[in-house]
Amino acid sequence: MIMMNQSICILLIISFSLVFTLEDNLTQGKKIYNQSCVACHGLSGKGDGVVAGNLMVKPRDFTDGKFKVRTTSSGQVPTDEDLYRILSKGMGHDNSMPTWANLRSDEKEAVVQYIKTFAPKKFARQGRVTVLTIPPRNASTWESIAQGRQWYNDMECSKCHGLGGHADGPSTPTLKDSWGNKIVPPDLSKPWLFIGGSEPEDVYRSLWTGLTGSAMPAVEGTLTEDQTWDLVNFLIHQFISPGENAPR
């Protein structure tokens, strides 16, 4: 009986500690958010901060749980690691979302937890998301590049990105996001503009999961893993880093 009572006490202490730790994280996260994020994303997290109207790329509305850069399937919320990565790396050079390299890791983790409070019902299902495991890259052979070129044409990527990858396709002038804001696809020859990074694995992730809320669909369910890597190899060889990844 004494041992049982001791075990119950220990469990209660651990439970209270976890609650207090979460509350401390949220308090810290809210403080940092109000200092660094509220001007764009707003107090309520709806992307309606005081400078939002002046920005070319509109801030994310956190309340609907839709995020562009994820390792989760289309329609699912991102993982904590996904949110942490965007805080660390930003969203590309022509985007208003900067890198927050000045924040400590614990501060970024606290902001992540606070951001999730804007869409509590959506993030309550975070434990059931399907997380992408990026498979090893296919060798960038001439055959792979040719297959990727075919997928680029068959999936009509040029309608937005253009035949030369310069974001000048016929659909570009009419593109809007889910909230009615005008959007422009990145020029594929300028990888520093890419949302979510331009490394081969970053490009694979963006293709596979899509960019929720934008005109960029997910290829998951349309292309296989190997076909997706073929498309990545073509994009790198043709636009992103031509000449540097030529097959030998």
Side-chain angles (χ1 to χ4, degrees):
M1 181 66 69
I2 294 177
M3 291 295 293
M4 183 178 296
N5 288 338
Q6 288 177 336
S7 298
I8 292 173
C9 288
I10 291 173
L11 288 174
L12 288 173
I13 291 171
I14 293 173
S15 298
F16 283 128
S17 297
L18 291 174
V19 170
F20 285 128
T21 299
L22 178 59
E23 289 180 349
D24 289 343
N25 278 344
L26 292 179
T27 299
Q28 182 186 30
K30 181 178 182 179
K31 180 180 179 181
I32 297 169
Y33 178 90
N34 288 340
Q35 291 172 340
S36 305
C37 313
V38 73
C40 295
H41 293 285
L43 283 170
S44 60
K46 293 183 177 180
D48 56 357
V50 293
V51 304
N54 300 323
L55 301 177
M56 181 70 71
V57 180
K58 302 306 177 184
R60 178 63 40 183
D61 178 349
F62 294 137
T63 64
D64 61 13
K66 296 178 180 178
F67 293 80
K68 288 183 177 180
V69 182
R70 316 170 321 283
T71 56
T72 57
S73 295
S74 181
Q76 297 181 337
V77 295
T79 64
D80 287 5
E81 291 77 13
D82 293 334
L83 296 174
Y84 185 98
R85 184 171 59 252
I86 292 305
L87 281 173
S88 301
K89 294 186 176 182
M91 292 280 282
H93 286 259
D94 70 339
N95 199 291
S96 304
M97 175 64 191
T99 61
W100 289 103
N102 60 308
L103 295 179
R104 302 191 310 269
S105 60
D106 64 302
E107 292 175 326
K108 283 183 277 193
E109 290 169 359
V111 173
V112 165
Q113 296 307 317
Y114 183 67
I115 287 173
K116 290 162 61 177
T117 66
F118 291 122
K121 291 183 179 179
K122 297 287 182 68
F123 278 100
R125 300 192 290 271
Q126 190 184 38
R128 301 197 294 271
V129 299
T130 302
V131 179
L132 164 68
T133 299
I134 299 178
R137 181 184 177 184
N138 288 358
S140 183
T141 63
W142 287 120
E143 181 182 3
S144 175
I145 291 170
Q147 290 292 330
R149 183 189 300 276
Q150 190 62 53
W151 287 119
Y152 187 85
N153 294 330
D154 289 350
M155 298 184 69
E156 300 184 322
C157 302
S158 62
K159 280 191 172 181
C160 296
H161 293 287
L163 290 173
H166 297 302
D168 54 359
S171 298
T172 299
T174 62
L175 293 179
K176 292 185 178 181
D177 64 17
S178 298
W179 302 273
N181 302 309
K182 178 178 173 56
I183 55 175
V184 178
D187 183 330
L188 296 177
S189 68
K190 300 177 179 177
W192 55 89
L193 301 179
F194 287 13
I195 294 173
S198 59
E199 293 298 318
E201 290 74 18
D202 296 326
V203 179
Y204 183 100
R205 182 185 62 244
S206 294
L207 288 171
W208 190 262
T209 65
L211 299 175
T212 300
S214 76
M216 178 66 194
V219 303
E220 180 186 12
T222 301
L223 299 184
T224 66
E225 293 177 348
D226 285 342
Q227 290 167 342
T228 303
W229 271 125
D230 289 339
L231 180 53
V232 172
N233 286 337
F234 166 71
L235 294 174
I236 292 175
H237 173 76
Q238 186 71 22
F239 306 122
I240 299 172
S241 187
E244 293 184 16
N245 289 271
R248 297 178 180 178

